[in-house]
Amino acid sequence: MFKVLIPAAATLALVAFAAQSRSEPVVDAPASGTPTPEATLAWHLSHEGGMAKLAYGVAHSDQIVIMLTCRPGDARAQAFGVVTPAGVAVVDGPAPVDPLTGLAMADVAVDMGSSALTSLRAGGRLPVVGEAGRADLPVTPGDKAVIDGFFAHCGATRA
């Protein structure tokens, strides 16, 4: 976990890195909490009570680009992170700031049938927008089962 502020330019680097192919294995952060250079971004699914959490970030860390949450039967997911799904209206006003990175964190509702989530569910990518502009978060064949698990939990069916 980073304990220093990351400049806003790091967001662009993070999203650009996310858009690259991830052929390297994910290596967890050592006990010191400092991520290793081999740590990579990937999709991860967890459950907390009845809520499913799908995050794109470094495994077993607080380093996330975006996290989607839902409960069974929800027509909308909640998106939280340094980027938001493309096409989602973001309310103007002060955004909460992540105390670890100093970056603005969006927290918005996203329709489960939105074009961004439809693209994610189809297994190609998640188009996102952040301070650094627009990018696509990739989905590998290995990520597909994790993403399908999220949509199955939410009760969303394939388009």
Side-chain angles (χ1 to χ4, degrees):
M1 179 180 331
F2 288 112
K3 298 284 183 183
V4 298
L5 297 179
I6 300 172
T11 303
L12 178 60
L14 185 63
V15 172
F17 175 72
Q20 295 176 358
S21 172
R22 296 180 328 267
S23 59
E24 301 174 23
V26 173
V27 177
D28 293 336
S32 69
T34 304
T36 62
E38 297 84 21
T40 60
L41 298 170
W43 291 99
H44 306 280
L45 179 63
S46 63
H47 292 87
E48 184 177 299
M51 182 183 299
K53 296 179 176 184
L54 178 66
Y56 186 75
V58 177
H60 311 294
S61 78
D62 289 336
Q63 297 174 46
I64 63 165
V65 177
I66 190 169
M67 179 173 56
L68 301 168
T69 62
C70 73
R71 296 187 183 279
D74 281 353
R76 301 186 94 167
Q78 198 67 25
F80 177 79
V82 295
V83 296
T84 58
V88 174
V90 179
V91 178
D92 287 334
V97 175
D98 181 355
L100 296 177
T101 65
L103 298 173
M105 303 294 280
D107 189 2
V108 296
V110 184
D111 287 330
M112 293 299 285
S114 69
S115 61
L117 293 189
T118 298
S119 177
L120 176 63
R121 187 171 47 240
R125 62 190 173 83
L126 176 63
V128 295
V129 177
E131 290 180 6
R134 185 180 169 106
D136 291 329
L137 301 182
V139 175
T140 66
D143 294 330
K144 189 71 176 90
V146 171
I147 292 167
D148 286 347
F150 174 76
F151 285 102
H153 178 88
C154 301
T157 57
R158 243 181 217 289

